[in-house]
Amino acid sequence: MGEIMESALLIKNGHVIDPLKSEIKVGAIGIKNGRFVPVEEVMSSRYLEVIDAAGSYVAPGFIDMHVHVFKDYTELGIDPDKIGIEQGVTTVVDAGSTGSEDFGRFKDAVIDKSQTEILTFLNISTKGLCHGLSELADMNNLMTLDEFNHIRTNEPSIVGLKARMSSSVVKQSGIKPLIYARGLAEMTDVPIMTHIGNPPPNLEEIFPLLKEGDIVTHAFHGKKHGILDEEGHLIPDALAALKRGVLFDVGHGTDSFSFETLMKYKEKYAYPFTISTDIYLKNYHEPVGSLMLTMSKLMHLGYTLDEVVKSVTIGVKEILNLKEQGTLEDGTRADVTIFNVVHEQTEIIDSMGMVMIANQVLEPVITLREGKVVYKNES
């Protein structure tokens, strides 16, 4: 029998961002057989590979918690690797593109064929977004408990439920689909990601149904009837939700992120939130761009590099109870994002058309999945 070669890798000289330690310092990371290990453990390896990350930042693999990647089967779907590993994102979470009816196809055509890891918020409509964008208008299409349990039992990629609560989606159903989702979530102990947009239903109906661990995406949109009142204070129901552990998520999207809303929020509140893109085929070039560009926008508004990295690593890990992702802890899967902070003036835009000039942007350099280089930026 031939010798089984172990895989050992040392990433050295990088500015390591460990979200558990709230520090950024030059150091090294050891990886053996696809998992993080102490640096000393790889130094004696006979087949040691080395990546010199001098001048770059090294972090756990970034996680984009809101994307649409059901390519070729929905009008929104984009290639997951194009917005995943090629942009320094090792894990993406598809937010409701598929319901129970088409999940098998999604798994075969997308999840199993992508280098980027794909997790899923399953749409509470059996149709998902495969048959138009008003999937919750017909209450007869809501997924049953048996349908959800059948998929969840056999598919570890399922992390929760998705319910889009805006008037164009629910039409005459109003708040009833979210009430149904609440019951389904209670019976299966999973979080709900709730999309908010144009009412009805109103936020005063939505927020009381959300519990600790649930997620409100598009939290910082610039439409009327949002999370802030005219004085820039959180409406009472939004503040109460945050206090009981509901999480806000950016969910940039085509028309769901406002610089002005987030600046007002930042002035008065320090509740953490996650950064995600809601990226899909039509907003890939503008206004979203990528997860790193979205993170760069928040840095321009005053959030630190450490804060934005935490929001796409340990922040997602904790809210979705992920075991392997979002950390550099020894023994966990070695997904790594190596990136640069490029100091040059760059035009950035929000979903409302507001343009600003950022002085620095994040740029992917190398992406590793399970300890192997899967993308290298050659530009």
Side-chain angles (χ1 to χ4, degrees), residues 138-293:
D138 186 348
M139 294 287 290
N140 292 318
N141 290 332
L142 294 182
M143 176 173 54
T144 67
L145 175 62
D146 285 346
E147 287 170 331
F148 184 49
N149 277 335
H150 175 72
I151 293 175
R152 197 166 68 104
T153 300
N154 297 293
E155 184 47 57
S157 76
I158 303 294
V159 294
L161 298 166
K162 176 71 182 291
R164 301 198 306 140
M165 289 289 107
S166 55
S167 58
S168 63
V169 179
V170 301
K171 296 192 180 294
Q172 301 306 310
S173 297
I175 196 66
K176 288 184 287 185
L178 186 58
I179 295 173
Y180 183 87
R182 175 77 273 149
L184 200 57
E186 293 293 312
M187 290 185 284
T188 55
D189 193 28
V190 298
I192 303 170
M193 174 183 272
T194 303
H195 148 134
I196 60 172
N198 291 315
N202 296 303
L203 295 185
E204 290 79 5
E205 297 176 271
I206 293 171
F207 279 120
L209 289 169
L210 303 179
K211 298 189 174 182
E212 181 179 3
D214 291 333
I215 302 142
V216 175
T217 193
H218 309 317
F220 306 103
H221 70 63
K223 305 165 188 175
K224 293 181 179 179
H225 311 293
I227 61 169
L228 303 178
D229 62 23
E230 292 182 358
E231 285 74 44
H233 295 94
L234 284 167
I235 61 172
D237 285 303
L239 182 58
L242 286 172
K243 287 182 176 180
R244 66 176 177 269
V246 174
L247 180 81
F248 281 176
D249 175 61
V250 169
H252 190 313
T254 301
D255 56 4
S256 299
F257 174 58
S258 163
F259 288 149
E260 187 176 357
T261 300
L262 187 55
M263 286 188 289
K264 289 179 179 179
Y265 175 87
K266 188 176 187 299
E267 284 178 9
K268 297 181 174 68
Y269 304 100
Y271 292 96
F273 54 86
T274 51
I275 301 173
S276 70
T277 60
D278 181 25
I279 200 165
Y280 52 84
L281 201 56
K282 294 178 181 177
N283 65 26
Y284 170 64
H285 292 293
E286 192 175 285
V288 180
S290 69
L291 181 61
M292 284 202 196
L293 182 57

Side-chain angles (χ1 to χ4, degrees), residues 327-364:
T327 180
L328 297 175
E329 287 183 285
D330 290 340
T332 60
R333 192 179 71 205
D335 292 351
V336 180
T337 297
I338 301 176
F339 66 97
N340 287 339
V341 178
V342 180
H343 296 275
E344 61 180 33
Q345 290 196 332
T346 303
E347 187 176 282
I348 55 174
I349 186 171
D350 70 0
S351 299
M352 311 303 291
M354 179 181 285
V355 176
M356 293 183 172
I357 304 297
N359 294 317
Q360 57 183 359
V361 292
L362 309 186
E363 182 179 273

Side-chain angles (χ1 to χ4, degrees), residues 15 40 63 102 125-126 136 143 155 169 177 230 254 267 364:
H15 297 270
E40 313 84 65
I63 308 166
D102 293 288
S125 164
T126 60
L136 297 180
M143 176 173 54
E155 184 47 57
V169 179
E230 292 182 358
T254 301
E267 284 178 9

Side-chain angles (χ1 to χ4, degrees), residues 3-183:
E3 180 182 359
I4 299 175
M5 290 177 55
E6 69 175 20
S7 168
L9 175 67
L10 178 70
I11 304 174
K12 66 177 185 178
N13 298 329
H15 297 270
V16 178
I17 305 177
D18 188 337
L20 282 176
K21 298 179 180 177
S22 296
E23 63 182 14
I24 302 175
K25 65 179 184 179
V26 175
I29 292 174
I31 299 170
K32 181 180 283 188
N33 298 329
R35 298 199 165 265
F36 293 117
V37 296
V39 170
E40 313 84 65
E41 196 171 318
V42 301
M43 296 305 293
S44 59
S45 176
R46 181 178 172 188
Y47 302 104
L48 181 63
E49 296 180 53
V50 177
I51 294 175
D52 190 342
S56 297
Y57 291 85
V58 181
F62 289 175
I63 308 166
D64 191 339
M65 195 167 67
H66 186 160
V67 303
H68 291 282
V69 292
F70 201 176
K71 185 175 178 286
D72 301 328
Y73 293 94
T74 66
E75 62 181 270
L76 302 181
I78 192 169
D79 183 338
D81 290 337
K82 188 174 186 177
I83 54 93
I85 59 166
E86 293 178 20
Q87 297 294 337
V89 179
T90 55
T91 299
V92 299
V93 188
D94 187 276
S97 296
T98 180
S100 56
E101 186 175 288
D102 293 288
F103 181 79
R105 182 180 296 170
F106 179 59
K107 176 174 170 56
D108 292 342
V110 182
I111 294 177
D112 291 347
K113 292 185 178 178
S114 301
Q115 289 183 289
T116 307
E117 180 184 34
I118 301 171
L119 306 177
T120 310
F121 283 106
L122 200 64
N123 201 308
I124 63 166
S125 164
T126 60
K127 305 291 185 183
L129 305 183
C130 295
H131 304 274
L133 302 180
S134 299
E135 73 273 12
L136 297 180
D138 186 348
M139 294 287 290
N140 292 318
N141 290 332
L142 294 182
M143 176 173 54
T144 67
L145 175 62
D146 285 346
E147 287 170 331
F148 184 49
N149 277 335
H150 175 72
I151 293 175
R152 197 166 68 104
T153 300
N154 297 293
E155 184 47 57
S157 76
I158 303 294
V159 294
L161 298 166
K162 176 71 182 291
R164 301 198 306 140
M165 289 289 107
S166 55
S167 58
S168 63
V169 179
V170 301
K171 296 192 180 294
Q172 301 306 310
S173 297
I175 196 66
K176 288 184 287 185
L178 186 58
I179 295 173
Y180 183 87
R182 175 77 273 149

